[in-house]
Amino acid sequence: MKPLTIAIDGHSSTGKSTLAKQLAKALGYVYVDSGAMYRAVALNALRNGWVSKEDGVQASKINAHLETLVIDFELDQMGTNTTLLNGEVVEEEIRSMRVSNVVSHVAKLVPVRRHLVSLQQAMGENGGVVMDGRDIGTVVFPNAELKIFMTASDEVRASRRKAELDAKGQVHFIEDVLENLMSRDKADMERVDSPLIAAEDALTLDNSSMTREEQFHRVLGWVAALQK
Ligand code: CDP
């Protein structure tokens, strides 16, 4: 049977990567976290002083250095997906609020999107891939066999993200976490190039009151229906 391409898009902190990892493991597929790639570009820009929450982006600097960045994924000893930027493990740093506060400014730059979309398309060219992000079903893999659009209530998303940050010792007020999610969603939905929008043929999954297991089994049902 031909391996599927599974595209998972949706709002910030809706559990896209949790579901994508579960599916990739169960199906023996490759998992690609496209958001980690935007976060890595944003981290590089922060380190070089090309972006800040206050002053916005220096687009020409960021765009000019795209080709010099090497963004890879590898599995660590625990089998956890880890993001590398020019060979350096940046998995934890890219998830910090410092990066979350600027990533959507970087992700709206057209050359950044073109560059990362072409890398993502190459990673998934043979199928057998689960990729999550904002434009996977609309732009990266418009022919994906299964497209899922995930959403959840604002309160649920903010408390899940706060718990994730707390667990890493990065303690923030829930109000600041919520504000970050809302402002990223707004920027992601309003940008001109490949805005966050559900593909017409996407199946919507609102997991506000679903457990991980419930949502996983529902999606496995969708996969099984495609494989019949
Ligand atoms: O984990 P979370 O849902 O908070 O976000 P993420 O998937 O790590 O993505 C971080 C940011 O990258 C998003 O808010 C978008 O601005 C951007 N992004 C994008 O523009 N396109 C994608 N395919 C993936 C992420």
Side-chain angles (χ1 to χ4, degrees):
M1 192 178 308
K2 186 180 168 284
L4 305 173
T5 297
I6 302 178
I8 303 180
D9 291 301
H11 298 107
S12 299
S13 202
T14 46
K16 299 179 296 293
S17 65
T18 302
L19 174 65
K21 282 180 206 163
Q22 282 175 311
L23 280 174
K25 194 167 173 207
L27 299 169
Y29 286 5
V30 172
Y31 163 58
V32 180
D33 177 351
S34 71
M37 300 170 79
Y38 289 92
R39 287 175 179 274
V41 175
L43 174 62
N44 185 64
L46 270 172
R47 286 178 172 178
N48 285 289
W50 301 331
V51 66
S52 70
K53 202 178 174 189
E54 298 72 31
D55 304 326
V57 281
Q58 291 182 41
S60 57
K61 293 274 194 205
I62 296 173
N63 296 338
H65 289 82
L66 283 172
E67 298 288 343
T68 67
L69 299 181
V70 180
I71 301 169
D72 292 321
F73 297 108
E74 69 179 27
L75 294 179
D76 67 14
Q77 290 115 322
M78 308 294 286
T80 309
N81 214 58
T82 301
T83 310
L84 303 179
L85 171 62
N86 296 331
E88 176 193 347
V89 174
V90 291
E91 184 58 31
E92 188 150 332
E93 204 174 350
I94 59 171
R95 312 282 165 197
S96 64
M97 281 285 272
R98 187 167 159 254
V99 172
S100 295
N101 281 332
V102 297
V103 61
S104 293
H105 300 303
V106 173
K108 70 174 190 245
L109 302 176
V110 175
V112 170
R113 303 206 69 79
R114 292 285 168 280
H115 183 68
L116 295 186
V117 166
S118 78
L119 294 177
Q120 291 153 9
Q121 288 172 333
M123 289 173 177
E125 65 185 349
N126 300 321
V129 64
V130 187
M131 193 175 293
D132 75 317
R134 302 293 186 289
D135 58 345
I136 310 306
T138 50
V139 176
V140 181
F141 298 126
N143 298 322
E145 289 87 359
L146 178 59
K147 299 181 185 176
I148 301 170
F149 191 83
M150 292 180 66
T151 190
S153 73
D154 299 345
E155 292 67 30
V156 165
R157 297 190 292 133
S159 62
R160 284 182 189 151
R161 182 51 49 96
K162 176 162 169 47
E164 272 172 27
L165 290 164
D166 284 352
K168 290 189 235 163
Q170 301 176 22
V171 179
H172 296 278
F173 292 116
I174 186 111
E175 293 79 6
D176 293 339
V177 175
L178 179 62
E179 198 273 326
N180 174 257
L181 298 182
M182 305 300 282
S183 66
R184 273 196 296 131
D185 283 348
K186 186 171 184 310
D188 292 343
M189 290 187 293
E190 290 181 353
R191 69 173 171 239
V192 179
D193 185 22
S194 42
L196 167 63
I197 183 173
E200 276 181 16
D201 49 350
L203 300 172
T204 301
L205 186 66
D206 182 337
N207 63 16
S208 307
S209 51
M210 287 172 108
T211 65
R212 285 178 185 197
E213 289 68 31
E214 282 166 349
Q215 99 175 351
F216 182 48
H217 284 104
R218 174 164 314 177
V219 175
L220 277 184
W222 293 342
V223 172
L226 283 167
Q227 288 177 325
K228 265 189 195 149

